[in-house]
Amino acid sequence: MQQLENEVKQLIIDVLQLEDMQIADIDTDAPLFGDGLGLDSIDALELGVALQKRYGITLSANSEETRRHFQSVAALVAMLGEQRKEPQ
């Protein structure tokens, strides 16, 4: 999971062009919006598109569930882990 956390953090840095940030600067459990990383709705849209492209996942922009997934890096990683599991 640590590798996936770091991948998501690096994706956030790259997609949102947070040039002054390092992976270690992003707290896995901190909120992505508001007092945490301070992202806004445009950032969420850009990040959502990047996650869909990179991991082949499906996100619904107006879904309450999607909003919960964007609460923190930890929530995004958990969602990616769930969506990447193949049914057996």
Side-chain angles (χ1 to χ4, degrees), residues 4-21:
L4 186 54
E5 284 179 14
N6 288 341
E7 284 179 22
V8 170
K9 290 177 182 182
Q10 189 63 54
L11 186 67
I12 290 169
I13 291 167
D14 294 344
V15 168
L16 303 179
Q17 300 175 354
L18 304 175
E19 297 160 355
D20 295 336
M21 292 198 94

Side-chain angles (χ1 to χ4, degrees), residues 44-63:
L45 180 63
E46 291 177 0
L47 182 56
V49 169
L51 288 166
Q52 290 179 57
K53 285 181 180 179
R54 175 174 250 169
Y55 296 105
I57 61 169
T58 302
L59 296 171
S60 173
N62 296 323
S63 165

Side-chain angles (χ1 to χ4, degrees), residues 55-84:
Y55 296 105
I57 61 169
T58 302
L59 296 171
S60 173
N62 296 323
S63 165
E64 184 61 36
E65 184 178 8
T66 298
R67 287 186 187 101
R68 283 195 308 271
H69 294 316
F70 276 77
Q71 289 181 348
S72 67
V73 170
L76 283 173
V77 169
M79 180 264 307
L80 288 170
E82 289 172 17
Q83 288 207 18
R84 291 170 73 186

